[in-house]
Amino acid sequence: MNDWTTSHDRVLAQRNAEGWMFLIEAARDLRATGAIAPSGKALARALTDPVRVHAPRPLAVLEAGAGTGAVTRTLIPELPRASRLDIVEANPRFAARLRHLVSTHPDLAARPVQVNVHQTYVERLDTDQRYDVIVSGLPLTNFTPAQVERIMARYLELLHPGGTLTYFAYLGTRRARALTASRAEARRHAAVDEIMATYQRTCATGRWTVWANVPPAYVWHLRRPLVSAETDHPEQRSVEARSVEARR
């Protein structure tokens, strides 16, 4: 057995173990976990595109809701030298897995990148750092409208002006819940969708559909305005809105 085969088998074993771990945590609390499987490679790449766009200058990056590290493993090799990555994960078992990933990742041994894992909620992250890119893996449509408002306000607070927030939403979840969930649950989901639609109308720079994921998902990129909404020009917002529509 050659070195490549051994390495390949080790990677497959790790992914299988993480898949089972994710499934177990989903069984514990599906609302907090948000899915029954980690993000696939195509979704991870779409979520981390803004990091590649800003390279090669050093970046400050935040990943929130990192889970077992499916997106983290795609993100780390893309970080330019002298960058900083803060990883936020509230689940203690996921956080322990992420610390192991960071301590053993070969790319981090080869070049200077500062990486920290924080076991907390992103709304409670105690930092003065501001970020060029935030990658969100949080299942926003599983939260209450008040929670989503707090999370999104915190994201915009943590971003540099002009910084990018990237997040995903599974296709068809609102329709599925309208058919299968209680009226209260359907109303909660619709309210969250409306909150996110407001941010999309004012801040979105693009939306992409990732079909090669289980389940398929939209990936959104939002940009924190360079100036406040009160002083922004309506014609500029109109141009950005047309740009978003052209990408759909």
Side-chain angles (χ1 to χ4, degrees), residues 75-141:
L75 182 57
I76 287 174
E78 302 292 344
L79 293 170
R81 294 174 63 89
S83 291
R84 170 176 177 152
L85 172 62
D86 286 316
I87 304 169
V88 175
E89 174 54 58
N91 183 305
R93 290 165 291 277
F94 285 166
R97 172 75 67 167
L98 290 162
R99 291 190 183 97
H100 176 73
L101 169 63
V102 168
S103 66
T104 59
H105 200 290
D107 281 30
L108 295 178
R111 56 202 171 96
V113 174
Q114 181 183 351
V115 183
N116 300 289
V117 177
H118 307 267
Q119 186 189 318
T120 187
Y121 297 97
V122 70
E123 313 96 288
R124 301 176 186 173
L125 180 63
D126 184 14
T127 182
D128 294 327
Q129 178 69 45
R130 293 298 175 263
Y131 298 94
D132 302 292
V133 178
I134 296 177
V135 180
S136 176
L138 293 176
L140 295 174
T141 55

Side-chain angles (χ1 to χ4, degrees), residues 51-89:
V51 174
R52 286 180 286 277
V53 168
H54 289 294
R57 68 179 179 86
L59 300 173
V61 180
L62 172 68
E63 184 186 3
T68 57
V71 176
T72 314
R73 278 190 295 274
T74 299
L75 182 57
I76 287 174
E78 302 292 344
L79 293 170
R81 294 174 63 89
S83 291
R84 170 176 177 152
L85 172 62
D86 286 316
I87 304 169
V88 175
E89 174 54 58

Side-chain angles (χ1 to χ4, degrees), residues 4 10 18 89 103 107 118 133 140 150 154 165 167 169 192-194 208 221 239:
W4 182 89
R10 186 163 52 247
E18 291 180 358
E89 174 54 58
S103 66
D107 281 30
H118 307 267
V133 178
L140 295 174
R150 287 195 296 270
R154 183 60 170 150
L165 165 66
Y167 73 96
V192 170
D193 276 353
E194 184 52 41
W208 294 263
H221 292 178
V239 168

Side-chain angles (χ1 to χ4, degrees), residues 184-206:
E185 179 69 3
R187 286 195 298 270
R188 181 200 61 77
H189 195 222
V192 170
D193 276 353
E194 184 52 41
I195 291 169
M196 297 310 299
T198 300
Y199 282 101
Q200 291 157 8
R201 286 191 293 268
T202 57
C203 300
T205 59

